[in-house]
Amino acid sequence: MRTRLSALLLLLMGVVLASLGVPLMSGIASDEARTLHTDRMADLSLFVSKVQFDPDDAAVEELALERDLRRYEDLYDVSVTVYDAARVPRFSGHENTAPQITPAQDAALDTALSGRLTEVWDQIQPWDSEPLVAAQPVVRDGDVVGAVVSVSPVDSAAGRVLQRWSILIALELIALVGAVALADRLARWLLKPVGRLDEAAHQISAGDLSARVPTGSGPPELRRLETSFNEMAVHVQDAVEAQRAFVADASHQLRNPLAALLMRLEALNLAADLPGASPARQSEAMERALADGKHLAGTLDRMLALARVENGGAPAAPLDVAEVVDERLAFWMVVADRRDIHLVRRGAAHARAQHDAGALAGALDAVLDNALKYSPEGGTVTVLVRPSSVTTPQPPPVPLAGPSSSPVLALVSTPPAPDTGVEVIVSDDGPGVPAEELPRVGDRFWRSEASEASETEGTGLGMSIAKTLMGRHDGTLDVTAGEESGLSVRLWVPPVPGPR
């Protein structure tokens, strides 16, 4: 590829050099022709002024003019002949006063006798050998009485053109050699990032997902491509590692319930064949098998939900976080009533931020489900909505009327601070999680030892789903220990970009 690119660049540079050199060569040839013609016409003007055609002074005129013409021819090797109006040669610098006239001389003579000057040659090429013929009319009292015709060899002018062309071609060859070196260096510079990308892509395709493109020299567009490639490689590596972890966790989590279910079904089958097996024992075994089956179905549903969360979703848009929170609280009021748990709403009545309303609602559902599940009967789950920069103590909750007696709402019309985002803090007074286990909250299939020991139904996927939903649009989910007991889950929603 470098060879082809170098050839292309060299071709382009060659075209540029040719486009510059050809006009210069043409200009040199035209300049020599114009110079030669101008000099010759100036000389002819001098001879025209000396031609008198006076019969009284014919002898003197002949001697003076012919002497000048001979000296001129001897010095410059240019033949000059003076013709009268009847096209008869009257004076000449050489012995033969009636030489054979060439077609070019005849045409020049016609032009001069018609009162006009011969035209300038377009160009003199190095290989030209035809002499330059120039002519001027001799005008006396307004009448053309003759013409002066010169025949100039162009060998010297053609030689000068060849010399100047040779210098120009030599300079162009030097420039071409420089262009070859420049094209090769430019091709190397352009293709260096491509080579790095190719090497990294080959390593990744060979299974090394940690391979990255070392950024260095190259065009800015290709350096941005390297950065995008590295970001893509990071996402691919994260996705593959997450997939591997998910498969490992799912296999581990499903293996034990499935084995238990199979054992119970086997025991149930054996009990049916045994004489004297009580119906109550069989019914108990059947209920346990059904419970294991439901647990398996729930786990599979959660895994399917997590897969959907990771693979899709709507784009982020400005929304009122408080409105989404209030909507979800209205839904969870029924659950709170049934479990006799106080559901408290505090903070701002409106809080604008940027996220997907569906994803935020899903994350809130998972967090509220967790808080209500582990809160004791008669406990309290508090939901606080506020700009993330607000750190002042919140006012005590003020009960408001509602469809339920247990939920309590206390809304404060505090305008959100600009460009800080909004945080939703869900606190409960459940058993909580030991401090050393807090970093693991949000890991897939992770449950605390207390939860595992208790009979509380759970798969360990709820918080993982909430964390994934928040991270979809740069939101975060943090878990800390409650002030007195329980857990405090903080959902941070990023601000709306640009001016509000």
Side-chain angles (χ1 to χ4, degrees):
M1 184 175 180
R2 183 166 63 88
T3 303
R4 292 193 293 271
L5 183 59
S6 298
L8 178 61
L9 292 173
L10 184 60
L11 177 62
L12 294 175
M13 293 179 182
V15 170
V16 171
L17 291 175
S19 62
L20 293 175
V22 171
L24 284 175
M25 295 173 70
S26 177
I28 291 172
S30 300
D31 181 62
E32 286 294 337
R34 187 167 46 253
T35 301
L36 182 60
H37 185 270
T38 302
D39 293 345
R40 206 57 67 231
M41 295 304 287
D43 297 340
L44 292 182
S45 298
L46 178 63
F47 293 121
V48 166
S49 65
K50 294 183 177 181
V51 176
Q52 298 297 327
F53 291 109
D54 187 355
D56 297 335
D57 298 332
V60 177
E61 179 182 312
E62 179 181 0
L63 290 175
L65 183 57
E66 287 191 346
R67 184 179 60 253
D68 293 341
L69 291 176
R70 278 194 294 273
R71 291 183 60 190
Y72 182 79
E73 185 170 349
D74 292 340
L75 287 174
Y76 302 107
D77 195 21
V78 176
S79 173
V80 179
T81 304
V82 180
Y83 294 86
D84 60 13
R87 306 172 64 87
V88 176
R90 294 288 300 275
F91 310 105
S92 178
H94 44 274
E95 298 296 336
N96 187 7
T97 56
Q100 185 177 1
I101 189 168
T102 64
Q105 295 172 5
D106 187 61
L109 184 58
D110 288 343
T111 301
L113 291 178
S114 64
R116 294 178 288 117
L117 302 177
T118 51
E119 297 180 354
V120 182
W121 278 17
D122 293 335
Q123 292 179 347
I124 293 179
Q125 310 293 347
W127 49 85
D128 283 341
S129 59
E130 291 293 329
L132 171 64
V133 179
Q136 279 195 22
V138 180
V139 181
R140 295 293 181 270
D141 298 330
D143 297 327
V144 178
V145 298
V148 180
V149 179
S150 68
V151 179
S152 307
V154 297
D155 298 343
S156 299
R160 290 194 296 272
V161 171
L162 179 60
Q163 182 181 10
R164 296 173 66 182
W165 279 18
S166 300
I167 295 174
L168 181 62
I169 290 173
L171 293 176
E172 292 248 341
L173 288 176
I174 294 174
L176 187 62
V177 172
V180 171
L182 180 62
D184 183 71
R185 190 175 183 85
L186 185 60
R188 288 176 183 270
W189 180 73
L190 288 173
L191 296 179
K192 203 166 185 177
V194 178
R196 294 195 296 261
L197 282 169
D198 178 66
E199 184 178 357
H202 178 71
Q203 291 178 353
I204 291 177
S205 64
D208 184 10
L209 297 179
S210 63
R212 299 292 183 271
V213 182
T215 56
S217 62
E221 294 80 3
L222 291 180
R223 291 205 301 270
R224 285 198 295 272
L225 179 60
E226 289 177 340
T227 303
S228 301
F229 182 88
N230 286 337
E231 293 175 355
M232 181 195 68
V234 170
H235 291 312
V236 170
Q237 185 180 18
D238 292 343
V240 171
E241 290 177 354
Q243 184 182 21
R244 289 173 179 170
F246 182 79
V247 171
D249 292 343
S251 301
H252 180 267
Q253 293 297 321
L254 294 178
R255 183 181 57 189
N256 292 336
L258 183 59
L261 176 61
L262 292 175
M263 291 176 62
R264 293 187 193 283
L265 291 176
E266 185 179 358
L268 186 61
N269 185 35
L270 293 175
D273 296 335
L274 293 176
S278 65
R281 188 174 179 181
Q282 293 183 7
S283 178
E284 181 183 358
M286 179 64 74
E287 290 178 357
R288 291 181 177 177
L290 288 174
D292 289 339
K294 290 180 180 178
H295 179 69
L296 275 176
T299 302
L300 290 175
D301 288 341
R302 287 285 188 178
M303 290 170 59
L304 181 59
L306 181 59
R308 288 174 178 169
V309 165
E310 292 177 337
N311 294 328
L319 55 85
D320 188 345
V321 175
E323 183 179 344
V324 176
V325 170
D326 293 340
E327 179 187 354
R328 300 321 301 162
L329 285 179
F331 173 81
W332 287 99
M333 279 179 181
V334 179
V335 179
D337 273 344
R338 188 167 60 242
R339 296 179 183 174
D340 195 19
I341 297 173
H342 297 281
L343 191 58
V344 179
R345 163 75 161 88
R346 299 174 62 187
H350 300 282
R352 196 163 178 264
Q354 175 109 341
H355 209 276
D356 171 21
L360 179 59
L364 281 170
D365 285 345
V367 175
L368 288 172
D369 179 39
N370 221 44
L372 293 173
K373 188 187 300 179
Y374 291 103
S375 291
E377 183 176 341
T380 302
V381 173
T382 304
V383 180
L384 171 63
V385 180
R386 67 183 182 184
S388 61
S389 62
V390 174
T391 57
T392 55
Q394 297 299 305
V398 180
L400 301 176
S404 172
S405 59
S406 54
V408 178
L409 301 179
L411 305 182
V412 180
S413 299
T414 302
D419 300 330
T420 56
V422 176
E423 59 184 9
V424 180
I425 301 176
V426 180
S427 304
D428 63 69
D429 51 3
V433 175
E436 64 272 14
E437 295 184 359
L438 282 176
R440 296 202 60 191
V441 177
D443 292 349
R444 291 170 177 171
F445 300 110
W446 181 85
R447 300 185 69 193
S448 64
E449 294 182 0
S451 300
E452 293 284 0
S454 67
E455 296 181 354
T456 305
E457 183 67 23
T459 60
L461 289 174
M463 295 299 287
S464 178
I465 291 175
K467 194 172 183 178
T468 303
L469 286 171
M470 291 305 298
R472 178 184 294 170
H473 298 300
D474 300 327
T476 60
L477 185 149
D478 303 313
V479 181
T480 56
E483 295 181 358
E484 297 181 358
S485 62
L487 282 180
S488 178
V489 181
R490 175 182 177 270
L491 307 176
W492 179 78
V493 186
V496 178
R500 297 193 177 194

